[in-house]
Amino acid sequence: MENNVSAATAMLGLDGFVLLAVSDYAGELEQAIETIAVEDFCRGCGVQARLHNRRPTWVRDLPAGGRPVTLVWVKRVWRCMEPACPVSTWSESLTAIRPRASLTERARAEACRRVGEDGHSVAQVASGFGVAWATVMAAVVEYCTPRVDDPERLAGVKVLGVDETAFLAANAKHHTQFVTGMVDVTGCRLLDVVQGRSGTVLSQWIDAQPQPWREHVRVAALDPFRGYATALRTSLPHATRVLDAFHVTRLGFAAVDDVRRRVQQQSTGHRGRRDDPLFKIRRLLRRGHENLTDTAWDRLSAGLQGGDVDSQIQLTWIAAQDLRLLYRASGRDQGEQRLYRWMVHCADSDIPELHRLARTIEAWRPELLAYFDTNGVSNGPTEAMNLIIKKIKRTGHGFRNFDNYRLRLLLHCGVDWHTQQPTRIRGRLPRLAA
Ligand SMILES: [Zn+2]
């Protein structure tokens, strides 16, 4: 019997508790437990207490064997026998299960991990545990806020990436609301997000960091937005600013799109329709030339022959491809040469969109060429982070509350969870081998 109890209690794995009985209840497990305490002393007068009553309390625990688990903790109620003592009765309390809690502490911790590390929605996790949304959200806020507020989380950033992302889509009451995200580009982690898209919000965030942290940042990667550039120049004056290659490439393809739409409109008198040759190749036009199969090339040239009446699209497309290839240059010198030839190509054309693109690129020349001085730093990780941000936003069905949104993002992309990996069985060193 002694053996039985310890085996069952080992299965329970809850310090200070023993398992009394297990029953199946409609596919769920109900486990009756009690504490190992056999005596207690009054907190008022120190006299040994007498067992007064037993009172059951129900809490949800981690699932066992794939089944939801409810613990029925048969609590002891103690009574002080000292007539002069103001304390009369009290019930047991242990840190593993808080008073009036509907989840055990370990279940609360796991709920937080699922929301944070796995990126599940609070509603999903709450229904998985069979508790209320507010129960899980309270646990997330309590367990996770210290992790997010830990100053160590931001330590050691050498390359800072800055990017914007939409937080709330526009509706009848407000415009699209943007947030600015700060990323540790080398460490691939989200440092923080702040409301708004402006140099001011970025400056405020950087200026709030300790001086040694700021001095440690050597490079700042940014998208072509003047506000960010100005903020970085004043708040991180010693850091090299690099324009992000991804965004530059995107500017080129945006110009191709603009020209295609204009040519479309001028030659057909209407916006793109399904059977228009140019409309059919609108996606192909955005691809890198090396990613085009033979069939894709055929479709592309057929589309251009059908709709690109004065070769404007073709010229812009070449400019967009060349802009990408700028980054393949062997070094700064070659990069500068290619940039010069590219500028000439744009200037020689009669395409207003290309002239505008060239003006933009010219305005960002130092930041663009800095790419070659910084070993090709790119905001790639920042962009990858943006995809995760979108995923989190979907699981949360769009956040209305910025603080919740920030907490969820940082938990998923900005915190190391150090989750313990189970030891491998069927390894080379079986534990049971004699
Ligand atoms: Zn007492």
Side-chain angles (χ1 to χ4, degrees), residues 6-19 31 61-62 96 106:
S6 61
T9 300
M11 287 285 288
L12 176 69
L14 206 54
D15 270 354
F17 287 93
V18 289
L19 186 61
Q31 303 181 332
D61 195 19
L62 298 173
R106 64 183 182 186

Side-chain angles (χ1 to χ4, degrees), residues 42-47 80 82 85 87:
C42 175
R43 274 128 192 87
C45 63
V47 160
C80 176
E82 173 56 53
C85 178
V87 179

Side-chain angles (χ1 to χ4, degrees), residues 32-253:
I33 60 169
E34 67 174 7
T35 66
I36 51 177
V38 286
E39 53 178 20
D40 203 359
F41 298 89
C42 175
R43 274 128 192 87
C45 63
V47 160
Q48 183 162 15
R50 178 187 288 183
L51 184 62
H52 171 69
N53 201 355
R54 292 274 205 163
R55 198 182 291 148
T57 171
W58 284 264
V59 281
R60 284 291 194 178
D61 195 19
L62 298 173
R67 282 184 283 181
V69 168
T70 305
L71 299 181
V72 187
W73 177 9
V74 191
K75 274 191 183 185
R76 293 181 179 84
V77 181
W78 301 100
R79 171 182 285 280
C80 176
M81 298 309 287
E82 173 56 53
C85 178
V87 179
S88 60
T89 62
W90 65 94
S91 61
E92 292 179 297
S93 72
L94 255 78
T95 47
I97 302 171
R98 289 194 204 176
R100 286 173 298 279
S102 46
L103 282 175
T104 60
E105 280 311 294
R106 64 183 182 186
R108 296 182 82 214
E110 171 63 8
C112 297
R113 198 201 57 76
R114 280 196 210 167
V115 170
E117 187 176 23
D118 296 349
H120 294 169
S121 73
V122 171
Q124 232 173 340
V125 174
S127 83
F129 276 107
V131 296
W133 182 92
T135 305
V136 172
M137 195 60 213
V140 168
V141 169
E142 187 194 318
Y143 267 83
C144 299
T145 309
R147 279 171 179 269
V148 164
D149 290 345
D150 181 6
E152 274 301 298
R153 202 177 60 77
L154 301 183
V157 179
K158 276 206 176 87
V159 183
L160 176 70
V162 182
D163 199 7
E164 58 161 54
T165 170
F167 163 54
L168 279 183
N171 65 16
K173 292 202 185 99
H174 57 74
H175 298 291
T176 304
Q177 293 179 20
F178 285 96
V179 300
T180 298
M182 278 69 63
V183 173
D184 172 9
V185 172
T186 16
C188 246
R189 68 202 150 120
L190 183 65
L191 298 170
D192 213 339
V193 285
V194 289
Q195 260 175 310
R197 173 185 49 172
S198 69
T200 315
V201 297
L202 178 58
S203 281
Q204 277 167 356
W205 187 85
I206 296 173
D207 295 346
Q209 306 310 316
Q211 179 69 19
W213 185 92
R214 280 178 277 155
E215 280 167 10
H216 198 255
V217 178
R218 309 309 312 167
V219 176
L222 69 156
D223 58 2
F225 171 56
R226 264 309 148 200
Y228 289 160
T230 312
L232 289 168
R233 188 166 51 238
T234 43
S235 297
L236 293 174
H238 58 278
T240 311
R241 289 179 303 282
V242 189
L243 199 56
D244 173 46
F246 171 85
H247 282 99
V248 174
T249 303
R250 202 163 61 175
L251 285 179
F253 286 114

